[in-house]
Amino acid sequence: METNMNKYLKYALVLLLSIGLILFTQQVKIWFNGDEATPITAMTIYGLITLWTFAFAGVLISDLMKKVPIRVLQDFPVLGWVSIISLVFCLLFDFPIQAISAVDFLSITTPVLTFAGISVADRLVDLRRTSWRVGIVAIFVFLGTYLGSAIISEIGLTIMGK
């Protein structure tokens, strides 16, 4: 029980650090962009608390589902649980949407991409052991994803008449 509490405390603190980085990034945008940036208000703080709550609840549910005998639920990723929780609460209540909309989107992506970069950099040794063909496959995957997104966006803009 003590190790679980320590594990959850670590998760909570890492998520709190993430929220702090989001707030810092939003403040930096205000310093550099002035009136064009999203201001920090009380609703921004509520939005960050909401994001923290959704993320931590996703971690808890993911950990609980590891004890369920259904294999699909055991293997379901944390991000999936966070998404489901967020979706349900945003469909049921209007407040999470209002609160989260006060948080600048690009301020959220900066710390997330930083954490992703750190986790990938941690595995560069494993990447060296793979074949050079993986690089070619990655280039085609990135190119296909980019072109697919561009085509879908173009179709959507054409439908909208823009």
Side-chain angles (χ1 to χ4, degrees):
M1 185 68 178
E2 182 67 31
T3 57
N4 274 347
M5 292 303 289
N6 287 337
K7 179 173 74 169
Y8 295 137
L9 182 63
K10 287 178 186 178
Y11 286 144
L13 291 175
V14 167
L15 290 172
L16 190 62
L17 174 65
S18 302
I19 296 301
L21 288 172
I22 293 169
L23 189 62
F24 175 73
T25 306
Q26 190 163 342
Q27 180 60 45
V28 169
K29 283 187 72 175
I30 291 170
W31 289 337
F32 286 104
N33 295 335
D35 294 338
E36 297 173 14
T38 306
I40 296 175
T41 62
M43 196 57 99
T44 306
I45 304 301
Y46 296 146
L48 292 172
I49 292 169
T50 303
L51 290 171
W52 183 91
T53 305
F54 288 165
F56 192 67
V59 168
L60 290 176
I61 289 176
S62 176
D63 202 41
L64 286 173
M65 290 299 141
K66 300 254 188 272
K67 298 173 181 143
V68 172
I70 303 169
R71 185 79 175 153
V72 173
L73 294 177
Q74 291 175 348
D75 294 339
F76 200 71
V78 175
L79 183 61
W81 290 117
V82 173
S83 298
I84 289 171
I85 291 168
S86 303
L87 182 64
V88 167
F89 276 93
C90 288
L91 286 173
L92 293 177
F93 307 105
D94 194 37
F95 178 77
I97 297 170
Q98 292 173 355
I100 293 171
S101 67
V103 180
D104 183 60
F105 177 73
L106 289 177
S107 297
I108 295 172
T109 58
T110 304
V112 168
L113 291 175
T114 303
F115 287 136
I118 289 170
S119 70
V120 168
D122 220 16
R123 298 183 181 147
L124 284 179
V125 176
D126 296 336
L127 189 60
R128 266 192 261 160
R129 284 189 235 140
T130 61
S131 172
W132 58 272
R133 293 179 193 102
V134 172
I136 294 172
V137 170
I139 289 170
F140 281 109
V141 168
F142 293 146
L143 186 63
T145 303
Y146 176 75
L147 289 176
S149 298
I151 290 169
I152 291 171
S153 299
E154 192 62 37
I155 290 170
L157 289 172
T158 302
I159 291 171
M160 293 176 58
K162 294 186 179 185

